[in-house]
């Protein structure tokens, strides 16, 4: 039995990215499907940013955003659900760092520090990246991650990140019908 719910839900932050097809639809559909799990609630969403590709620069621009989740799943259970949603939305892993319909990365899960083959928390690299940190800054609770300001200051090359659609994270996320 899993008794983690006795302590109430845990908070997790995730990053979302898409640079293939109807990019915005993939982001919103991913949030809707994440929330479709009875043990996941999407409690905050950042604005959507258009960002220059990093790693492999010869590919289309990304839309990136961040979301805050409340969940009674364990980190591994949450990761498995995220990977299932990626697969449902046609994510194909062929070229490393290549174009993708949807990419879901777990950034933080409470204060968990984890280092396994499948999952490292906090996320080891994404916190250096403007396309993660700038959306995260919209929604992060200072007490959930006191380091974020310092990381954002240290982060170079914020120029590749442009506000694309402003969204109001104060409003509860309402999954759209589709
Ligand atoms: C040197 C070598 C410098 C590799 C940077 C950075 C590799 C980021 C991969 C790197 C390097 C990544 C996104 C992206 C990717 C995204 C934008 C990755 C994985 N994902 N670019 N590139 N947004 N703008 O979500 O993060 S591939
Ligand atoms: Mg990624
Ligand atoms: Mg990923």
């Amino acid at each position: 039995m899993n008794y983690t719910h006795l302590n109430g839900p845990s908070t997790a932050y995730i990053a979302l990215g898409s640079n293939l097809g109807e990019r915005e639809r993939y982001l919103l559909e991913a949030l809707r499907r994440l929330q479709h799990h009875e043990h996941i609630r999407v409690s905050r969403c950042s604005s959507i940013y258009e960002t220059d590709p990093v790693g492999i620069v010869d590919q289309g621009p990304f839309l990136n955003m961040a979301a805050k989740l409340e969940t009674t799943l364990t980190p591994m259970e949450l990761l498995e659900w995220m990977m299932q949603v990626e697969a449902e939305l046609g994510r194909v892993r062929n070229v490393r760092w290549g174009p993708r319909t949807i990419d879901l990365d777990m950034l933080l899960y409470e204060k968990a520090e984890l280092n396994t083959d499948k999952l490292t928390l906090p996320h080891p690299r994404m916190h250096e990246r403007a396309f993660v940190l700038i959306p995260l800054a919209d929604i992060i609770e200072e007490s959930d991650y006191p380091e974020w300001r310092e990381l954002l200051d240290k982060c170079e090359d914020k120029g590749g990140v442009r506000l694309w659609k402003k969204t109001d994270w104060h409003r509860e996320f309402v999954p759209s019908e589709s």
Side-chain angles (χ1 to χ4, degrees), residues 100 103-105 123 126 129 131:
R100 63 283 303 269
D103 177 34
L104 302 174
D105 293 321
H123 194 292
M126 300 303 284
R129 292 169 189 169
F131 66 76

Side-chain angles (χ1 to χ4, degrees), residues 43-61:
S43 60
R44 285 185 183 184
C45 295
S46 74
S47 290
I48 299 176
Y49 295 81
E50 189 168 55
T51 66
D52 296 339
V54 178
I56 295 177
V57 298
D58 182 23
Q59 59 179 322

Side-chain angles (χ1 to χ4, degrees), residues 6 9 17 19 25 29 42 51 54 60 66 89 98 103-104 110 118 136 138 146 153 164:
L6 295 177
N19 77 332
R25 203 183 64 77
E29 185 63 16
V42 177
T51 66
V54 178
L89 294 183
D103 177 34
L104 302 174
E110 291 288 327
K118 293 210 165 78
L136 188 61
D138 285 350
D153 286 344
W164 187 79

Side-chain angles (χ1 to χ4, degrees), residues 125-140:
R125 294 171 308 278
M126 300 303 284
H127 291 70
E128 305 155 9
R129 292 169 189 169
F131 66 76
V132 170
L133 290 174
I134 291 173
L136 188 61
D138 285 350
I139 58 168
I140 191 80

